[in-house]
Amino acid sequence: MINRQKGTYDIYGKEGKVLKQISYVVDAYASLYNYDYIRTPLFEATELYHRSVGENTDIVSKETYDFKDRGERNITLRPEGTAGITRALIENKLYGNRNDTIKLYYDGTMYRYERPQSGRNREFTQVGVEVFNSDDVMIDAEVISLGFNILRELGINDVEVHINTLGDKESRSNYTESLVEYFKPHINNLCPDCQKRINTNPLRILDCKVDREMDIFKNAPKINDYLSKDSMERFKKLESMLKILDVDYVIDNNLVRGLDYYDHVVFEYITNYSNVTLGGGGRYNHLVEQLGGPELPAVGFAFGVERLINEIINNQEIEEQKLDVYIMSINEEEKMHALEISQNLRLNDIKTEINGNNLSMKSQFKIADNAKFLIILNSEELNKGLVKVRDNATKEEVSVDESEIAEYMLGII
Ligand code: HAM
């Protein structure tokens, strides 16, 4: 037997149902908020991720699936969606009219070579949104609340949005410098990863899972002291807008995110009880330019779909969707009628099943237990143009004209 690869999962049964429910809700909300769907390739040039997500991030330095294709090109399976979508925006010149905001949403599998553990897969699914060509803080608020409202619609209520600002480019770089100054004398107390980060990606020291509880962290410089006046005002405005939109948020000054392209707001949707990060995002005003496009500000987020599925399955009853009708048949003649009636009912939006496995009457009754109605076929009645309909709850039976069966069923379902 050949088994699935470590860190990959087959999604079926309850999980499959919830997966589809999530994509249904995301489609509906994307439409309400006026987003268009985009699909980009599953693999891209390796260089794209080095120049966007960042060379020194954990994702690019340790987790990407890189390979050379048969034409000796350096290829990477996408570890996230933002870089590919930004590339597509530039390549297809989706920014045609400079007054339009471009609102895109997407879903798809992503690949990160992580140590598999709960909530960390090597293949996982993201749904996300990206908005280009608006630097308005109102759009930050709209994007954050869109994610929050999707969670609400999915019945995930135990969530707060953790928000922080990295400020503009200058605030961010001043802050980064002061962090390096501060942590350098303590370098021997830091974990091996942070000892490297101090040279490569100092901001990431702040959300180190290993060192976070140490006293030196509590006294580390705070971003607030390095924000320009504009960045500070922008963040205050965002807060008042999130209040108007009824988003439950908390300010978390240690939130920096694991990707290099952010400035201004960064945020994560985190469950209160179990402390799971369901999704995250932020503003990235310089990525389009960095990848060779025009100066176009942007903001977006992505959810991890498997994490949403787990959250829903652990906390909600998943309802089994009942069959409307099961059509019982035994011999060839009855089967022909069953096939024809099933098509007639299904084309009338009636959820129908047939005996596709040569089952005995007894087994069919068992299988049909979750159907609201049974249609029982027998040759004698069929010769008179009739079929029997049984209400599975009351066990009452009536004979109905076969030619009028769809209308009849529509009337009682
Ligand atoms: P990210 O925080 O790297 O952001 O990923 C977003 C979400 O994907 C995470 O919060 C998590 O739910 C899920 N996720 C990440 N890695 C894994 C994994 N190994 N297994 C299962 N789930 C995982 C981004 O990817 C950014 N592109 C988000 C963004 C969009 N920023 C701006 N626009």
Side-chain angles (χ1 to χ4, degrees):
M1 189 174 73
I2 299 168
N3 297 321
R4 64 184 158 75
Q5 293 298 297
K6 211 171 162 182
T8 67
Y9 295 91
D10 305 309
I11 299 185
Y12 54 92
K14 255 192 207 173
E15 275 87 359
K17 278 204 177 84
V18 175
L19 172 71
K20 284 290 160 196
Q21 183 201 345
I22 293 169
S23 64
Y24 179 78
V25 168
V26 169
D27 282 347
Y29 270 71
S31 163
L32 286 174
Y33 282 74
N34 197 26
Y35 282 77
D36 287 327
Y37 184 74
I38 183 166
R39 198 187 85 163
T40 62
L42 225 145
F43 59 85
E44 299 268 3
T46 299
E47 192 194 349
L48 174 67
Y49 300 108
H50 283 253
R51 280 173 52 187
S52 56
V53 173
E55 214 121 27
N56 295 315
T57 56
D58 284 354
I59 298 177
V60 167
S61 64
K62 312 195 253 200
E63 295 169 2
T64 45
Y65 277 83
D66 301 320
F67 60 96
K68 270 200 198 301
D69 73 3
R70 290 169 196 263
E72 294 295 303
R73 297 173 195 89
N74 290 315
I75 301 289
T76 294
L77 295 187
R78 63 182 177 200
E80 57 101 56
T82 311
I85 287 169
T86 306
R87 191 234 0 101
L89 172 101
I90 299 168
E91 190 166 347
N92 299 298
K93 295 202 170 50
L94 298 181
Y95 47 82
N97 180 348
R98 294 301 294 268
N99 287 325
D100 286 346
T101 45
I102 301 132
K103 299 169 98 175
L104 303 172
Y105 83 105
Y106 57 96
D107 51 17
T109 47
M110 309 290 158
Y111 298 84
R112 297 186 192 176
Y113 194 80
E114 300 204 61
R115 206 160 56 82
Q117 49 187 298
S118 161
R120 282 197 188 282
N121 315 344
R122 290 187 173 168
E123 180 186 70
F124 60 98
T125 315
Q126 283 188 347
V127 292
V129 309
E130 314 291 351
V131 181
F132 295 94
N133 202 20
S134 166
D135 189 28
D136 197 324
V137 67
M138 198 160 123
I139 294 297
D140 295 351
E142 188 187 280
V143 164
I144 294 173
S145 67
L146 165 59
F148 189 73
N149 290 340
I150 288 175
L151 294 176
R152 280 276 144 94
E153 183 68 36
L154 290 169
I156 303 177
N157 298 315
D158 180 41
V159 165
E160 266 173 343
V161 191
H162 291 228
I163 59 172
N164 190 21
T165 178
L166 303 176
D168 50 29
K169 242 181 166 177
E170 205 186 328
S171 316
R172 185 183 156 149
S173 97
N174 288 342
Y175 180 51
T176 308
E177 248 171 57
S178 80
L179 280 179
V180 175
E181 292 273 296
Y182 175 81
F183 279 114
K184 263 216 168 121
H186 303 288
I187 191 157
N188 292 329
N189 299 328
L190 299 178
C191 75
D193 274 342
C194 285
Q195 292 186 2
K196 273 187 231 143
R197 285 178 185 136
I198 203 160
N199 296 316
T200 56
N201 199 353
L203 275 181
R204 282 294 275 176
I205 298 178
L206 287 180
D207 68 353
C208 172
K209 304 282 178 292
V210 185
D211 292 341
R212 209 171 176 159
E213 297 309 318
M214 294 198 310
D215 274 348
I216 42 167
F217 270 65
K218 303 204 167 102
N219 301 324
K222 297 277 174 277
I223 180 77
N224 281 351
D225 300 328
Y226 294 83
L227 289 179
S228 65
K229 197 162 156 261
D230 281 358
S231 299
M232 187 101 84
E233 271 170 17
R234 191 184 168 108
F235 197 56
K236 288 227 167 84
K237 237 193 212 171
L238 175 66
E239 274 198 71
S240 35
M241 288 174 171
L242 292 178
K243 281 184 187 133
I244 291 176
L245 294 172
D246 271 337
V247 174
D248 295 337
Y249 72 89
V250 284
I251 296 175
D252 176 355
N253 282 139
N254 286 333
L255 183 71
V256 294
R257 312 262 308 126
L259 308 95
D260 273 357
Y261 44 63
Y262 296 114
D263 40 34
H264 293 296
V265 66
V266 286
F267 54 94
E268 285 186 345
Y269 301 90
I270 304 182
T271 59
N272 296 320
Y273 178 68
S274 48
N275 201 28
V276 173
T277 303
L278 299 175
R283 182 160 275 287
Y284 50 101
N285 280 353
H286 299 281
L287 183 60
V288 182
E289 222 184 330
Q290 221 165 288
L291 292 177
E295 237 178 83
L296 282 188
V299 58
F301 72 81
F303 284 128
V305 173
E306 287 77 4
R307 294 190 190 178
L308 297 180
I309 295 175
N310 276 346
E311 193 59 30
I312 293 171
I313 288 198
N314 290 339
N315 298 301
Q316 297 176 29
E317 287 283 323
I318 310 301
E319 259 183 48
E320 188 65 35
Q321 210 204 344
K322 275 193 149 196
L323 274 177
D324 292 320
V325 175
Y326 186 95
I327 307 173
M328 305 182 85
S329 59
I330 292 283
N331 61 34
E332 283 307 304
E333 184 198 359
E334 292 163 12
K335 280 187 178 174
M336 291 298 186
H337 283 270
L339 198 62
E340 192 180 352
I341 296 172
S342 69
Q343 156 144 303
N344 191 359
L345 296 185
R346 287 166 178 159
L347 295 184
N348 278 286
D349 287 337
I350 297 171
K351 183 167 167 158
T352 304
E353 193 49 283
I354 52 176
N355 173 18
N357 211 7
N358 262 329
L359 299 176
S360 67
M361 263 333 226
K362 198 171 153 201
S363 306
Q364 289 185 65
F365 271 116
K366 250 195 206 151
I367 280 213
D369 207 35
N370 90 335
K372 294 182 206 151
F373 294 94
L374 305 181
I375 294 179
I376 304 165
L377 304 181
N378 67 65
S379 305
E380 214 174 287
E381 281 204 298
L382 284 174
N383 286 339
K384 296 187 210 150
L386 294 173
V387 299
K388 197 171 278 161
V389 176
R390 179 199 289 216
D391 182 323
N392 220 355
T394 64
K395 308 291 178 220
E396 271 169 37
E397 289 184 0
V398 282
S399 288
V400 177
D401 239 322
E402 187 181 359
S403 61
E404 288 166 10
I405 187 68
E407 289 82 348
Y408 180 81
M409 295 312 300
L410 281 172
I412 58 172
I413 278 167

